[in-house]
């Protein structure tokens, strides 16, 4: 099918073809990864169950029966608005991660779309935020409230847009976070939020 070429490792497919039906969570996870997170776990389980939990057959069933009926929205990542390259944040600090995204397709997004956490480090309890339906070529900022890990280091997580029916679409959106004891980003965001809320001029921090 045009535009639906999938590069599957034959050895990998052989390994999972030989895998029994007992470890279903592994099959669901691998199916979801091979499809580039286009389906949620429940959707993966549907196709696997339909094909007696044969991974290769389930992927074929997905592309044979689903693809012609799916109008997949388009989304392109534009830029990081906050937490850009070279910025750091202290441990155990709340912050807002904001991305700029664009509906890069020719049709408006359907109602009920959201941005969902799909892998890596989550940075807090929020795993989904609703996003308004964008018109073709419209650009918008999407923000998620997060909290940095307690230990210094480099961390990363992945998020994706998702329709109300569980279909993932568009670019994978990354959070790459540098956690440092001397990081200033969280303090900068807190000051910025304070100034915006109270419409005041910037003030230097109080002496300790």
């Amino acid at each position: 099918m045009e535009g639906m070429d999938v590069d599957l490792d034959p050895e990998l497919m052989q390994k999972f073809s030989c895998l029994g039906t007992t470890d279903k969570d592994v099959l669901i996870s691998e199916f979801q990864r091979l499809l580039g997170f286009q389906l949620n776990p429940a959707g993966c389980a549907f196709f696997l169950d339909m094909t007696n939990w044969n991974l290769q057959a389930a992927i074929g069933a997905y592309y044979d029966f689903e693809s012609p009926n799916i109008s997949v929205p388009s989304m392109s990542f534009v830029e990081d608005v906050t937490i850009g390259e070279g910025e750091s944040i202290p441990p155990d600090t709340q912050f807002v991660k904001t991305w700029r995204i664009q509906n890069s397709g020719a049709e408006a997004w359907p109602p009920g779309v959201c941005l969902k956490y799909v892998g890596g480090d989550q940075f807090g309890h929020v795993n989904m935020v609703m996003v308004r339906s964008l018109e073709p070529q419209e650009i918008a900022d999407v923000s998620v409230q997060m909290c940095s890990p307690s230990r210094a280091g480099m961390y990363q997580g992945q998020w994706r847009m998702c329709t109300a029916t569980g279909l993932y679409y568009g670019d994978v959106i990354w959070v790459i976070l540098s956690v440092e004891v001397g990081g200033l980003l969280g303090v900068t965001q807190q000051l910025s939020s304070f100034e915006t809320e109270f419409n005041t001029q910037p003030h230097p921090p109080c002496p300790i």
Side-chain angles (χ1 to χ4, degrees):
M1 183 175 299
E2 186 177 356
M4 287 295 179
D5 292 336
V6 181
D7 184 17
L8 300 178
D9 184 342
E11 293 185 7
L12 177 72
M13 297 308 300
Q14 179 64 29
K15 181 178 70 171
F16 279 94
S17 294
C18 297
L19 188 65
T21 59
T22 54
D23 205 349
K24 294 182 178 181
D25 287 342
V26 173
L27 284 168
I28 290 172
S29 177
E30 187 63 19
F31 187 21
Q32 189 177 31
R33 188 189 69 79
L34 288 170
L35 290 180
F37 296 101
Q38 294 183 54
L39 276 181
N40 60 19
C44 294
F46 170 80
F47 284 101
L48 284 162
D49 189 63
M50 185 173 68
T51 56
N52 198 27
W53 295 86
N54 181 296
L55 183 63
Q56 191 165 8
I59 291 174
Y62 170 78
Y63 284 111
D64 286 344
F65 300 118
E66 279 295 302
S67 297
N69 303 318
I70 294 176
S71 177
V72 182
S74 298
M75 185 280 291
S76 295
F77 168 76
V78 178
E79 62 180 342
D80 291 300
V81 179
T82 62
I83 324 293
E85 185 177 354
E87 295 179 294
S88 60
I89 189 167
D92 286 322
T93 301
Q94 290 198 3
F95 64 97
V96 176
K97 172 63 187 178
T98 302
W99 303 273
R100 187 158 293 152
I101 61 175
Q102 181 180 28
N103 177 354
S104 52
E107 299 180 6
W109 289 351
V113 299
C114 63
L115 182 67
K116 294 184 73 171
Y117 162 77
V118 294
D121 298 298
Q122 188 171 338
F123 308 116
H125 300 295
V126 178
N127 60 10
M128 180 191 75
V129 290
M130 300 304 297
V131 179
R132 65 182 177 86
S133 299
L134 299 185
E135 295 298 320
Q137 305 306 312
E138 185 178 1
I139 295 174
D141 290 354
V142 180
S143 298
V144 178
Q145 182 74 42
M146 296 183 173
C147 185
S148 62
S150 58
R151 293 186 177 183
M154 292 294 298
Y155 299 86
Q156 62 184 27
Q158 299 90 48
W159 295 65
R160 289 200 73 182
M161 290 296 299
C162 186
T163 66
T165 58
L167 179 69
Y168 290 101
Y169 67 94
D171 295 339
V172 176
I173 298 179
W174 289 78
V175 188
I176 300 176
L177 192 64
S178 173
V179 177
E180 299 177 6
V181 174
L184 297 176
L185 185 60
V187 176
T188 303
Q189 284 197 357
Q190 290 165 10
L191 285 173
S192 175
S193 175
F194 180 87
E195 292 153 14
T196 301
E197 182 176 353
F198 293 97
N199 195 26
T200 61
Q201 294 299 314
H203 295 286
C206 297
I208 297 176

